[in-house]
Amino acid sequence: MVDTSPPPDIVPSGDLHTSSTEELELRVEPTIGLEWSQAIEQWGNERASRPAEARGAWVHRAPEQQVLTLYLTVREYDPELPAPWWLKAMANGTIRSRSEGFAVEDRVAKLLATRPGWIFVPWADGDCGFWEYMPSERALSVPGVPTALVLTHRHPGWLDVVPVHAADAEPRSIPVHGLADLRANLARVESLRP
């Protein structure tokens, strides 16, 4: 808390046009929302070409239990707050550790980074990012969004495909049942049309 009122020896009594010195106080108190936004803030990930290069936030480096505790506390106030998919999965009890989530991200990166047309797009809200299949845009006759592969906490396959779609359309995510399913169906994912 910061008290910005002048010291009593500088301002003589009667010079202030207020009935109480409490009206002059500025109280600055940390908010849990601000603490969370700082916890997920990433530095220098704009050029990341893989999820491992985008793991610069506090949530990626701090002691795992401390990260989970802060997330659970903040989530009580804002259930929709931005957070990495693996942290949401840990909070739901469907993934055991942050390193397990990192391993999923890294296996997907290993598959897609060598495949032509796929690029990694780092996010700035604490998550690892997502993959876009850029050639899919050719199927659009209007401005739109290419096919994307997004990591998710919503099911144990951890992956969703968002098909190529017009910018004003509401696409339906397609669940992928793990890396083996993605590998087996990658050509089909790449041939999706709007």
Side-chain angles (χ1 to χ4, degrees):
M1 176 170 48
V2 178
D3 181 359
T4 60
S5 62
D9 59 332
I10 294 180
V11 178
S13 175
D15 281 0
L16 294 176
H17 301 288
T18 182
S19 59
S20 167
T21 57
E22 286 184 11
E23 292 177 23
L24 295 176
E25 290 181 11
L26 171 66
R27 296 180 185 263
V28 179
E29 298 178 18
T31 65
I32 196 135
L34 177 58
E35 187 174 353
W36 184 252
S37 68
Q38 290 173 338
I40 63 172
E41 188 170 355
Q42 298 185 41
W43 300 97
N45 74 331
E46 305 85 19
R47 295 187 184 110
S49 62
R50 293 174 183 240
E53 297 169 3
R55 295 180 191 139
W58 178 86
V59 295
H60 299 113
R61 301 180 324 270
E64 192 171 281
Q65 191 55 51
Q66 189 177 353
V67 171
L68 182 59
T69 300
L70 178 60
Y71 173 68
L72 292 172
T73 302
V74 178
R75 190 175 73 169
E76 288 179 25
Y77 298 100
D78 181 3
E80 300 301 317
L81 79 149
W85 72 273
W86 51 262
L87 184 54
K88 293 175 182 178
M90 282 176 58
N92 295 340
T94 54
I95 200 168
R96 291 183 302 258
S97 68
R98 176 173 54 195
S99 61
E100 191 176 320
F102 288 173
V104 171
E105 293 173 0
D106 293 342
R107 286 193 296 270
V108 171
K110 186 175 181 182
L111 174 64
L112 297 181
T114 59
R115 187 120 173 148
W118 287 96
I119 63 159
F120 178 69
V121 180
W123 279 351
D125 66 357
D127 217 327
C128 69
F130 59 97
W131 292 86
E132 284 185 334
Y133 184 62
M134 298 310 292
S136 65
E137 285 183 311
R138 293 182 204 138
L140 293 168
S141 58
V142 295
V145 181
T147 295
L149 184 70
V150 181
L151 286 131
T152 182
H153 69 287
R154 292 183 179 92
H155 59 83
W158 310 128
L159 299 164
D160 279 343
V161 171
V162 180
V164 59
H165 59 279
D168 59 352
E170 288 290 327
R172 182 181 58 87
S173 295
I174 303 166
V176 179
H177 303 290
L179 192 61
D181 183 32
L182 176 63
R183 189 178 289 112
N185 292 294
L186 196 49
R188 200 174 91 193
V189 168
E190 293 173 346
S191 65
L192 290 172
R193 297 290 175 254

